[in-house]
């Protein structure tokens, strides 16, 4: 009984810290010791290079470049460099889409505006993954600031300028943009998975904002972030999470990584829990992979944001184990009112998640059930991702 009691309390304390205690603590730190960033719009004069690694992204690439060329800070963009991870397949419209990019823009730019940035495309002979493509593209650019983007998301016209303004502060080494989810033409009531993703992302952005205000965020939004060239270091070619590895290397070298909410890119959340699970499983496996690639980040005196890195990134990896331990050991304490109540809450929560999954499969929304669905799916995915990482079963080349 004593062991079961200790295990239940320990698991409950761990889960409370991971999902509520740490966000509250980092919020308090941000309030007590905030480090404001000195922003200056004139920093756009530093000049930046936009870098995109892509694979089989034909139509979205042309739309992506168009959204970049609509930037209010277009004059600060020296070049847009695109790397295709392997030659296009026979049915891939990427070459045609890229060839058509300059034409619609020739008539949209007035004579008194600065010339459009050069768009350069590099086709690599074999697929190796995003990290390898970025390592090869960076030396081919000339900007003082490197702006990393994914191919899919549309960029707000003010986003690049908002990123660049933060580099007026010499302490800032990396600036992460904000990913905003849209329905993208979906029904007015989003599905259960979309509701869950939306809630989770709002929660995640709150934590990142607080981390950036206090010291640094342990990673960036892969869809849009910028880094000083002098702080960029190549990463292992098989790295899954370039948006954590690259910013963390900059932080270890002395630069801050902050979160800029005004630098917006738009995306559509996963339509089903299965799609979100696939994406999240790869992401979480990437977090576990970082432990092997950068073990020195686990040492407090080697990692200036050890507290944030361990609390935000690593402790979530043991969340499924804590949930399982809480449920199993709680079974031995059902004769006590408090523990019976804790167990009843777990049962109701998991039944709510099951009901939400059923609603999802029927194609309807389920209101607040999206939250338990996402929580359960996230933890199942975490367990599978850690198992993937332990066995080395992940592929750097994303499909």
């Amino acid at each position: 009984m004593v062991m079961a009691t200790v295990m239940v309390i320990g698991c409950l304390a761990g889960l409370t810290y991971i999902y509520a205690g740490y966000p509250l603590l980092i919020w308090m730190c941000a309030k007590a010791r905030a480090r404001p960033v000195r922003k200056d719009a004139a920093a756009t004069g530093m000049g930046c290079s936009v870098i995109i690694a892509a694979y089989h992204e034909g139509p979205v690439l042309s739309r992506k470049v168009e959204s970049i060329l609509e930037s209010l800070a277009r004059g600060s963009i020296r070049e847009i460099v695109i790397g295709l991870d392997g030659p296009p397949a026979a049915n891939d419209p990427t070459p045609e889409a890229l060839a058509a990019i300059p034409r619609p823009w020739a008539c949209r730019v007035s004579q008194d505006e600065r010339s459009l940035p050069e768009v350069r495309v590099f086709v690599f002979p074999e697929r190796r993954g995003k990290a390898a493509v970025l390592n090869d593209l960076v030396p081919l650019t000339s900007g003082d600031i490197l702006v990393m983007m994914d191919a899919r998301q549309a960029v707000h016209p003010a986003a690049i300028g908002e990123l660049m303004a933060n580099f007026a502060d010499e302490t800032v080494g990396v600036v992460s943009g904000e990913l905003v989810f849209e329905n993208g033409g979906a029904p007015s009531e989003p599905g259960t998975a979309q509701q869950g993703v939306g809630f989770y992302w709002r929660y995640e952005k709150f934590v990142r904002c607080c981390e950036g205000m206090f010291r640094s965020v342990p990673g960036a939004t892969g869809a849009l972030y910028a880094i000083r060239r002098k702080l960029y270091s190549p990463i292992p070619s098989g790295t899954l999470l370039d948006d954590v590895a690259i910013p963390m290397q900059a932080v270890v070298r002395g630069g801050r990584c902050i979160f800029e909410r005004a630098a917006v890119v738009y995306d559509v959340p996963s339509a089903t829990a299965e799609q979100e699970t696939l994406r999240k499983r790869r992401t979480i496996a990437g977090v576990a992979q970082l432990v092997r690639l950068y073990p020195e980040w686990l040492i407090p005196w080697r990692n200036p944001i050890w507290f944030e890195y361990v609390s935000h990134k690593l402790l979530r990896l043991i969340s499924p184990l804590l949930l399982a331990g809480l449920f199993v050991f709680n079974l031995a304490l059902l004769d006590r009112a408090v523990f019976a109540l804790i167990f009843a809450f777990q049962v109701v929560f998991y039944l709510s998640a099951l009901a939400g999954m059923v609603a999802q499969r029927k194609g309807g929304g389920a209101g607040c059930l999206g939250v338990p669905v996402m929580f359960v799916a996230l933890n199942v995915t975490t367990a599978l991702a850690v198992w993937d990482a332990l066995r080395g079963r992940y592929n750097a080349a994303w499909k």
Side-chain angles (χ1 to χ4, degrees):
M1 283 293 186
V2 175
M3 179 182 175
T5 301
V6 171
M7 292 301 296
V8 167
I9 293 175
C11 291
L12 196 57
L15 290 166
T16 301
Y17 176 77
I18 291 170
Y19 293 107
Y22 172 66
L24 177 61
L25 190 55
I26 197 67
W27 175 78
M28 293 172 62
C29 290
K31 287 293 184 181
R33 299 188 61 182
R35 296 176 59 191
V37 174
R38 182 176 62 85
K39 294 181 65 174
D40 187 348
T44 57
M46 298 174 69
C48 69
S49 298
V50 175
I51 301 174
I52 301 173
Y55 172 73
H56 207 73
E57 305 261 17
V60 299
L61 260 179
S62 59
R63 292 195 297 270
K64 180 72 171 195
V65 174
E66 288 181 3
S67 72
I68 295 170
L69 294 174
E70 287 180 337
S71 171
L72 299 177
R74 183 172 61 237
S76 67
I77 303 175
R78 294 184 181 178
E79 66 234 328
I80 301 171
V81 180
I82 300 171
L84 303 185
D85 188 20
N91 60 341
D92 186 356
T94 301
E96 292 80 4
L98 290 174
I101 286 172
R103 294 177 188 142
W105 286 95
C107 60
R108 297 191 191 183
V109 182
S110 61
Q111 294 296 322
D112 59 341
E113 288 181 318
R114 296 186 62 174
S115 60
L116 292 175
E118 180 185 10
V119 179
R120 290 188 284 151
V121 181
F122 297 89
V123 181
F124 296 97
E126 60 181 282
R127 281 196 79 195
R128 299 167 298 159
K130 182 179 179 182
V133 174
L134 293 179
N135 287 338
D136 287 347
L137 291 181
V138 168
L140 303 175
T141 61
S142 60
D144 299 319
I145 305 299
L146 308 175
V147 180
M148 310 292 194
M149 297 186 185
D150 287 338
R152 185 176 68 250
Q153 300 85 0
V155 184
H156 190 280
I160 294 178
E162 293 290 348
L163 288 179
M164 296 284 289
N166 290 278
F167 290 105
D169 190 324
E170 289 296 328
T171 68
V172 173
V174 185
V175 184
S176 171
E178 176 175 1
L179 184 63
V180 173
F181 286 120
E182 299 178 310
N183 283 344
S188 58
E189 182 180 9
T192 307
Q194 292 180 330
Q195 292 168 343
V197 172
F199 175 84
Y200 175 79
W201 188 233
R202 289 192 297 273
Y203 166 86
E204 181 71 13
K205 286 191 287 189
F206 167 77
V207 174
R208 294 187 188 190
C209 279
C210 294
E211 290 170 334
M213 289 171 60
F214 175 50
R215 290 195 298 198
S216 286
V217 187
T221 302
L224 177 64
Y225 68 98
I227 180 173
R228 291 186 192 271
R229 171 182 291 276
K230 66 181 181 181
L231 291 177
Y232 176 86
S233 298
I235 56 179
S237 60
T239 303
L240 299 181
L241 297 184
D242 67 280
D243 52 1
V244 176
I246 292 174
M248 277 297 299
Q249 288 188 138
V251 169
V252 170
R253 294 177 62 185
R256 287 180 67 188
C257 178
I258 64 169
F259 185 65
E260 176 54 72
R261 303 202 70 164
V264 176
V265 288
Y266 300 99
D267 204 355
V268 179
S270 301
T272 67
E274 289 78 8
Q275 290 177 1
E276 181 61 18
T277 296
L278 178 64
R279 186 191 67 81
K280 202 66 183 174
R281 182 169 177 173
R282 175 183 171 84
T283 299
I284 296 169
V287 174
Q289 181 197 42
L290 290 174
V291 176
R292 178 177 61 82
L293 294 177
Y294 301 97
E296 65 274 16
W297 293 350
L298 301 177
I299 304 173
W301 55 88
R302 297 283 298 277
N303 184 349
I305 58 166
W306 178 87
F307 167 61
E308 293 91 325
Y309 177 69
V310 171
S311 297
H312 189 167
K313 296 295 183 183
L314 300 189
L315 288 185
R316 291 185 186 182
L317 299 179
I318 65 170
S319 176
L321 188 62
L322 295 177
L323 287 170
L326 177 63
F327 191 89
V328 171
F329 286 104
N330 203 167
L331 287 170
L333 302 170
L334 296 181
D335 57 335
R336 303 183 188 181
V338 172
F339 292 104
L341 185 61
I342 294 173
F343 187 78
F345 175 82
Q346 294 179 75
V347 172
V348 171
F349 186 84
Y350 290 131
L351 288 176
S352 298
L354 179 61
M357 291 176 186
V358 171
Q360 172 67 49
R361 291 189 179 278
K362 291 184 177 180
C368 62
L369 295 184
V371 174
V373 168
M374 180 51 58
F375 183 84
V376 172
L378 176 63
N379 279 278
V380 171
T381 302
T382 298
L384 295 173
V386 171
W387 183 237
D388 287 343
L390 290 174
R391 295 181 296 165
R393 292 188 61 184
Y394 39 69
N395 188 348
W398 173 244
K399 295 181 181 179

